[in-house]
Amino acid sequence: MSNICDLNRRYYELIELLKKDIPQVVIRALKEDLGGQIDVSNDITSNLLPTNIKAFARIITREVGIFCGKRWVKEIFNQLNQNITIIWHVTDGQKITPGQLLFEIEGSARILLTAERTVLNFIQTLSGISTKVSYYASLLKNSSTKLLDTRKTLPGLRTALKYAVICGGGINHRIGLSDAFLIKENHIIAIGSIKKAIKKAISIFPDNLIEIEVESIDELIQAINAGAHIVMLDNFGLEEIHQAVKFNKGRVILEVSGNINDFFIKNIAKSGVDYVSVGDLTKNICSIDMSMRIKIK
C-alpha cells in the first residue's frame, strides 16, 4: 500500500469534511454568543447603535505567525448577513508580522460588532496552531522526517484544527477512528498479542493501512514479521530509535511519538525515521494576538 496515496486521500477527505463542518461549527459558535439563536438583536450592547449605521473595520495581527481561518470568517458573515464586504490581504498559510493588515470588513456596524469576538476566536486559535506547526516543521527542514499531528484536538473542532496543521506545513495523521488502524497497547492487551491483532486487522479490512504502537525493539520485530505497514515507536529514547532504524532497513514506515519537544525533535530527525507525531500541536494551543479596529462611516 502506498503511504503517499493514503496521505493524499486523507487530505481530500478533510477538505470535503470541512464543507459540512465549517457551517455547523460556526452556527454553534454564533448561537453560543447570541442566546441560542442567530439573531443580531440578541446582542443587547450592539442594540445601542441605530440599525442604519455603516462601519468599516480593519483586522490586524500583533504577533508574528502563520495565518489560518479565511473559510470560517466568510461563513460567520454568511450566517449573520450576506451584505458584508470582506477585502482580504492574506491567505491561509501565509506568514504574518506585527501590525500587518489581514483583512478589511465593510457593512452594518451592528453586524461587525456582533461578529467581532467569534471572528477573532477562530482566526486567533487556528493561526496559533499553524504557527506552532510551522515552528516544529522548521526543525525538520533539512531532514527526510515529516511532521504529523494526532487526534488530541478540542472536541468539535477536529477538522478545523487539522486544517490549521496543513496550513502550518504539517501532515494529518488519522482524521478519526474510521480511516485507518492504529493498534495501541490496550488493544494488544485486549486481543492477546501483536501478531493476533495485526492478523485480525488484515482479515477484517485487508486494504486498510495498519499501524501499530510498540514499546521495545522486540515488539518492533514482532510487528514487522506480522505485516504492519507503519510502526509507531512510543516513548523510545534516541539510542533505541537509532537501533530501530538500523534493524528496520526500510521494511516498514517508522513513526516516533511521545514527549516530543523542540530539542528532541531535532535529534529524532537525524535518526532517519519517516515521521514524528506531536500531540502538542493541537493540544496545547497558544492563540495569536489579533484585534479589530472599527470606524463609523
Side-chain angles (χ1 to χ4, degrees):
M1 177 180 292
S2 169
N3 190 50
I4 296 298
C5 289
D6 190 74
L7 291 173
N8 288 339
R9 173 189 60 79
R10 194 167 290 161
Y11 169 78
Y12 288 113
E13 285 180 357
L14 176 65
I15 298 305
E16 286 301 310
L17 285 171
L18 284 170
K19 293 177 183 178
K20 177 187 69 175
D21 289 355
I22 291 174
Q24 291 178 349
V25 74
V26 165
I27 288 170
R28 286 199 302 270
L30 289 172
K31 285 184 175 180
E32 186 176 59
D33 239 5
L34 290 168
Q37 57 183 336
I38 301 178
D39 184 346
V40 178
S41 66
N42 285 347
D43 178 358
I44 60 174
T45 310
S46 289
N47 280 339
L48 299 173
L49 282 70
T51 58
N52 62 344
I53 288 186
K54 302 295 182 182
F56 176 81
R58 303 171 78 249
I59 289 77
I60 66 166
T61 177
R62 299 183 186 279
E63 295 183 77
V64 170
I66 303 296
F67 182 79
C68 181
K70 281 184 71 171
R71 298 171 187 229
W72 287 263
V73 174
K74 291 177 181 178
E75 185 60 30
I76 289 166
F77 289 109
N78 181 58
Q79 292 292 337
L80 288 173
N81 188 322
Q82 296 186 23
N83 294 319
I84 296 292
T85 300
I86 307 175
I87 302 171
W88 290 97
H89 298 282
V90 292
T91 191
D92 288 345
Q94 181 177 329
K95 184 176 180 179
I96 54 178
T97 55
Q100 183 175 342
L101 176 62
L102 305 177
F103 56 97
E104 301 166 276
I105 321 168
E106 187 175 352
S108 164
R110 281 191 176 190
I111 297 291
L112 268 56
L113 289 169
T114 295
E116 177 181 3
R117 177 42 51 197
T118 305
V119 165
L120 291 175
N121 281 347
F122 277 110
I123 61 174
Q124 288 178 312
T125 300
L126 297 180
S127 297
I129 291 171
S130 292
T131 301
K132 178 180 282 189
V133 172
S134 178
Y135 168 67
Y136 272 90
S138 72
L139 300 177
L140 298 172
K141 187 175 181 180
N142 296 318
S143 75
S144 60
T145 304
K146 306 300 181 185
L147 180 66
L148 292 172
D149 61 14
T150 72
R151 290 188 301 115
K152 295 175 181 177
T153 54
L154 297 175
L157 289 175
R158 171 71 52 80
T159 57
L161 303 195
K162 282 186 169 284
Y163 175 76
V165 167
I166 293 173
C167 290
I171 298 172
N172 295 149
H173 208 291
R174 294 185 300 169
I175 296 173
L177 295 171
S178 63
D179 70 271
F181 286 103
L182 177 45
I183 303 167
K184 306 191 80 172
E185 178 186 12
N186 285 331
H187 297 106
I188 296 167
I189 291 171
I191 296 169
S193 72
I194 288 173
K195 183 177 180 179
K196 287 180 180 179
I198 294 176
K199 183 178 180 180
K200 183 70 172 179
I202 294 171
S203 69
I204 296 174
F205 294 108
D207 295 326
N208 274 41
L209 194 69
I210 299 174
E211 179 170 2
I212 190 161
E213 176 186 273
V214 302
E215 298 180 340
S216 67
I217 298 296
D218 179 63
E219 289 187 348
L220 169 63
I221 295 169
Q222 294 178 52
I224 292 173
N225 291 337
H229 300 111
I230 304 177
V231 177
M232 177 189 290
L233 310 176
D234 184 45
N235 288 306
F236 272 43
L238 282 174
E239 185 177 343
E240 285 183 301
I241 292 171
H242 282 278
Q243 289 175 2
V245 171
K246 184 177 180 180
F247 174 80
N248 181 48
K249 296 180 181 178
R251 284 177 289 179
V252 299
I253 294 167
L254 292 181
E255 173 187 338
V256 172
S257 183
N259 298 314
I260 307 298
N261 57 40
D262 51 2
F263 172 77
F264 192 32
I265 201 171
K266 287 182 179 180
N267 288 286
I268 289 172
K270 296 175 184 177
S271 72
V273 296
D274 301 284
Y275 295 107
V276 55
S277 54
V278 183
D280 186 58
L281 301 178
T282 54
K283 183 177 67 173
N284 299 319
I285 300 169
C286 184
S287 297
I288 297 295
D289 188 10
M290 298 172 176
S291 66
M292 185 173 93
R293 297 173 179 175
I294 193 169
K295 289 184 179 180
I296 301 300
K297 294 185 70 178

